[in-house]
Amino acid sequence: MKLFHLLRHLFLPHESNNQRAKILHPGSLFLIVLGLVSFQFILGLANRSFPRVLGYAANISPEEVIRLTNQKRVENGLTSLSENSKLSQAALAKGNDMLAKGYWAHFAPDGTSPWNFFLNFGYKYKYAGENLARDFSDPVSAVNAWMSSPTHRENILNPNYQEIGIGVVEGNLAGTDTTIIVQFLGTSLNGETGSISEAKAKGVAATIEPKSSIAPKPTLASTPIPTPVPIPTAAPPQVTTSESAIAFVSPFSSTKGISLLVTGILLMVLSIDFIVVKHKRIVRVGGRTFAHIAYLGMILAVILILKAGQII
Amino acid sequence: MRHFLKHLSHYMVLFGILLAGFAGLILFSYDKAFQIAVASALVLSYVSWGVAHHHLDHDLRLETVIEYLVVAILGFVIIFSLVIRT
């Protein structure tokens, strides 16, 4: 019975709460605000103290990104890409370079191109491409975001590519804790010391002919594609950052969940309040419940639509 | 309902504010600073709307202003938290 009275006091207009649910009183709303601010403070603190528990890379594994990429290719009638350990290492190096130099772009501020990373790890390419994503809480969202962008989709569904490498790095990029996914796509020259024909970084509109010491004279994209080399059955070494090993909670998802819960409860209580006050013809001093419903309804719509993650 | 129809113009202004805020937050999702600026403008606009509406309805009180302020700040904290985590 006590619980019933407490719930009625909290959520329904009644004499005990001056005909307005206690949770809607300015004091209670202020406490909710304080609670939300404290939650963010704790989340930030925990993110620094326990990076393996809290992080944006909650569910991002390079294997899953590769699996999903191949799934999209197969769905579109293309062959699957094989994971290449050199590409994975190069992608990881690119991610770490972005964190170290504090940039979010295909080309570093010092002019380093994505193709430098391919070559630095001994991957002499015939075709090369790069897709970047950051702040996604799971690989499905990241791959879907790429597929929704015509240029990134074109990269993923490019029939010229035969191999893939994924690097996932976590760190602070220009003051923001983030997780970056670097997707390197390519076709190697298979030991040829000849030319490099085409390299594409999505977000860069034109085809780029990369500068390279091994390519005195880049050939055209129409260079015949060499016969694919069978991929070794042994799995290439897994490349991930130590921080991205296991993380259980995404700060964005948890913030979104708490926000949805708070807004949902308040909207429900406001709606009940609106109906009860009209029905009982209660006269009271205070703000317009309908206006609060409209305002929080808009907030709810924003919560539902906002998504973490950027791609270039 | 009678109150709503009587103050239809007031509510149209409110819907305009909310729609503009919603559009700003969604369309400029690539610009966090702009999103926070939009959320701040939304707080000011909502409180201003509340004050103006109750003033015109002759029932403006300090408690009412505080109520609008707290509800507006609650919305701001939620949007701000999400924007910094995206």
Side-chain angles (χ1 to χ4, degrees):
Chain A
M1 207 59 178
K2 263 188 175 181
L3 181 68
F4 171 76
H5 286 151
L6 179 67
L7 290 174
R8 187 179 63 186
H9 180 70
L10 281 174
F11 300 116
L12 292 172
H14 190 258
E15 287 170 10
S16 67
N17 50 33
N18 205 16
Q19 300 298 346
R20 170 164 287 224
K22 184 67 182 171
I23 200 172
L24 299 178
H25 286 211
S28 307
L29 292 171
F30 185 70
L31 282 178
I32 293 172
V33 169
L34 277 183
L36 289 172
V37 172
S38 305
F39 177 72
Q40 288 305 313
F41 181 73
I42 292 165
L43 207 59
L45 209 64
N47 207 10
R48 280 187 209 98
S49 308
F50 309 102
R52 280 170 164 269
V53 177
L54 285 163
Y56 285 98
N59 300 306
I60 295 176
S61 75
E63 300 95 328
E64 187 62 4
V65 178
I66 293 170
R67 191 189 69 77
L68 291 165
T69 302
N70 280 332
Q71 187 182 319
K72 298 295 178 190
R73 284 178 66 90
V74 169
E75 283 170 7
N76 285 276
L78 297 167
T79 54
S80 294
L81 302 169
S82 308
E83 185 179 359
N84 181 290
S85 60
K86 287 179 183 174
L87 278 185
S88 296
Q89 288 168 345
L92 190 65
K94 169 65 190 278
N96 284 323
D97 190 61
M98 281 194 281
L99 290 178
K101 295 177 184 168
Y103 67 96
W104 166 241
H106 291 293
F107 289 82
D110 61 8
T112 306
S113 82
W115 328 125
N116 287 104
F117 295 95
F118 283 67
L119 299 172
N120 288 347
F121 283 85
Y123 191 88
K124 294 171 184 175
Y125 55 84
K126 181 172 172 355
Y127 298 103
E130 178 189 55
N131 282 339
L132 299 175
R134 63 179 283 195
D135 298 339
F136 285 93
S137 55
D138 61 272
V140 175
S141 306
V143 173
N144 284 343
W146 280 330
M147 290 302 287
S148 301
S149 155
T151 53
H152 295 87
R153 179 187 168 87
E154 184 193 328
N155 224 7
I156 287 175
L157 300 182
N158 189 328
N160 290 329
Y161 298 135
Q162 294 172 357
E163 293 172 318
I164 186 171
I166 300 291
V168 179
V169 294
E170 287 180 39
N172 193 286
L173 184 66
T176 306
D177 288 335
T178 188
T179 293
I180 298 171
I181 308 172
V182 180
Q183 183 182 58
F184 275 176
L185 305 152
T187 299
S188 75
L189 283 169
N190 297 320
E192 290 179 36
T193 54
S195 60
I196 296 167
S197 65
E198 183 184 359
K200 284 183 179 179
K202 288 307 153 192
V204 181
T207 298
I208 300 160
E209 290 182 348
K211 292 173 185 173
S212 167
S213 58
I214 65 157
K217 187 182 176 186
T219 57
L220 299 173
S222 57
T223 303
I225 299 168
T227 310
V229 173
I231 304 303
T233 50
Q238 185 50 56
V239 185
T240 57
T241 55
S242 58
E243 290 86 356
S244 70
I246 299 172
F248 302 106
V249 182
S250 153
F252 178 77
S253 301
S254 50
T255 300
K256 189 170 182 169
I258 292 287
S259 302
L260 276 174
L261 184 73
V262 169
T263 314
I265 289 174
L266 287 177
L267 274 171
M268 195 177 68
V269 175
L270 279 166
S271 303
I272 293 169
D273 179 83
F274 185 75
I275 294 165
V276 171
V277 166
K278 286 286 165 204
H279 183 69
K280 292 187 175 177
R281 298 185 179 184
I282 295 167
V283 179
R284 68 183 184 201
V285 175
R288 301 281 178 256
T289 304
F290 183 74
H292 294 335
I293 290 174
Y295 179 75
L296 289 178
M298 188 276 292
I299 299 290
L300 183 72
V302 171
I303 297 169
L304 290 170
I305 290 175
L306 271 187
K307 283 180 181 170
Q310 297 172 36
I311 55 168
I312 55 170
Chain B
M1 186 54 91
R2 209 179 303 151
H3 171 86
F4 179 78
L5 291 173
K6 185 184 167 190
H7 298 290
L8 189 62
S9 57
H10 295 194
Y11 285 101
M12 288 297 116
V13 171
L14 176 66
F15 292 145
I17 290 168
L18 297 180
L19 200 64
F22 179 76
L25 289 166
I26 300 305
L27 295 176
F28 294 89
S29 58
Y30 57 85
D31 189 339
K32 288 184 182 185
F34 189 81
Q35 282 182 306
I36 290 167
V38 168
S40 307
L42 204 56
V43 169
L44 286 174
S45 304
Y46 186 63
V47 175
S48 302
W49 179 88
V51 170
H53 170 75
H54 285 270
H55 175 70
L56 292 171
D57 212 20
H58 309 291
D59 64 346
L60 181 64
R61 287 169 184 242
L62 180 62
E63 302 93 300
T64 311
V65 178
I66 291 170
E67 186 182 321
Y68 277 94
L69 197 62
V70 176
V71 170
I73 289 171
L74 176 70
F76 176 81
V77 167
I78 288 173
I79 291 173
F80 183 81
S81 306
L82 282 168
V83 167
I84 60 165
R85 299 290 174 197
T86 54

